[in-house]
Each structure stands twice: as C-alpha cells, then as structure tokens.
Amino acid sequence: MFSQKVAQQSLRRLAVQQPLSMQWSMMRASPAAMALGKGLQSRPATTASNTEDPTQILAKQRLNRPPQIGWIGSSLHRITGVILSGPLYLWATAYLFSPAFGWHLESASMVAAMGALPVAAKVALKSILALPFTYHSLNGLRHLTWDLGRGLTNSAIIKSGWTVIGLSVASALALAFI
C-alpha cells in the first residue's frame, strides 16, 4: 500500500511538472525569489465596475428572450405522444375486457355510435384526435431529419418549427372535415 502511494505521488509530480522553458527560467531565479513566488507568470485580476446584483441581471435578460420554437416544439412533441398513447392503452384495455363486462366495442357498434352524432360533434371529435396525431407525426419527421444531421442551424430550426405547426393545423382540419 505504501508503494502505491509513492508511485501515485511521483506520477502526480510528473503530471504537474513545468515545461522545460519554464524550468530554465526558474533555475536562474534565486531560491528566495522562488519562495516568494517572484519570477512566475501572473496576470492582473480584472474587476467589474458593475455593482448590480447578478441574479437581477439574469432575470432582466430572461424577460427579453423570445419564446424558442425549438424547445416549445420538443415539449409539444412529448406531450402529444402522451396524449396519443394514453387513450390508446385505455381503449385497448377496454376492448380486451369488453366481453367480460358486456360492452359492445366492436367496429359495427362504433360506426353506428359515430354515425348517430351531429356533424358539429363529429368535426370536433375528429379535430381533437387529428391535431395531436398530425403534429406528432410531422414533428417526428422533423426530428428524424435532425438525426441525419440536417437542418440544425437556428434559422432552419425556426422555419421547420413553424412549418410543422402550420402543416399540422391544416392537415388536422382537412382530416376533421373528411
């Protein structure tokens, strides 16, 4: 154990050893100058004349920031994924247990139930389902292009973000009115 400590200390000394040019300049200095730290490279410390609290500066800067389409789009992508997968799992579970409880969730009864709804209710229901689906699908394609290393500049991210939002709203409305 003692030999390991000696080896570690010698390796540390070698790792922090000064370059050869610095060693030569130190050899010319007197031992008293070396002890006082003279002859070593130094630079003056800079002081800021600003006396404002740094946390207040940061708070003011945050107020001036515009909303970032990149993180908003990424957050919405995750949220729409949960919005789509949650009801899917609930529906699948209800479909599996429907014979045991006497529920009629087969296709014919679902078509009949949807057909009995007024047109406004059909459009609203389809819009509620179509918007998260179209956004998640189109933004997923956007993320796949990012995985290929394309469209990663700030301007491209902003353009593609607004394009995804516009296309998802347009396609959701088109699906709702079909």
Side-chain angles (χ1 to χ4, degrees), residues 34-176:
M34 291 295 290
L36 294 174
K38 296 186 179 185
L40 296 177
Q41 290 183 344
S42 64
R43 63 178 176 205
T46 59
T47 58
S49 62
N50 191 356
T51 58
E52 194 173 352
D53 184 23
T55 57
Q56 296 301 321
I57 295 171
L58 185 61
K60 287 179 184 176
Q61 289 175 348
R62 284 184 180 150
L63 291 175
N64 294 330
R65 290 183 192 162
Q68 300 293 318
I69 190 72
W71 66 265
I72 292 172
S74 182
S75 299
L76 283 175
H77 185 74
R78 293 168 192 231
I79 291 167
T80 55
V82 170
I83 288 172
L84 291 171
S85 63
L88 175 70
Y89 286 121
L90 288 174
W91 177 262
T93 304
Y95 187 79
L96 286 175
F97 290 112
S98 64
F101 293 112
W103 300 335
H104 294 286
L105 297 179
E106 58 271 355
S107 298
S109 61
M110 292 292 103
V111 169
M114 191 69 167
L117 292 175
V119 175
K122 289 179 192 177
V123 170
L125 184 62
K126 290 198 291 186
S127 297
I128 290 170
L129 294 174
L131 186 59
F133 176 75
T134 56
Y135 180 80
H136 191 76
S137 300
L138 294 171
N139 202 44
L141 293 174
R142 179 178 172 223
H143 277 273
L144 286 175
T145 58
W146 288 351
D147 290 343
L148 295 174
R150 297 194 173 126
L152 293 175
T153 62
N154 284 339
S155 61
I157 289 172
I158 292 169
K159 286 178 188 174
S160 65
W162 288 111
T163 302
V164 164
I165 289 173
L167 286 175
S168 62
V169 168
S171 59
L173 290 174
L175 287 173

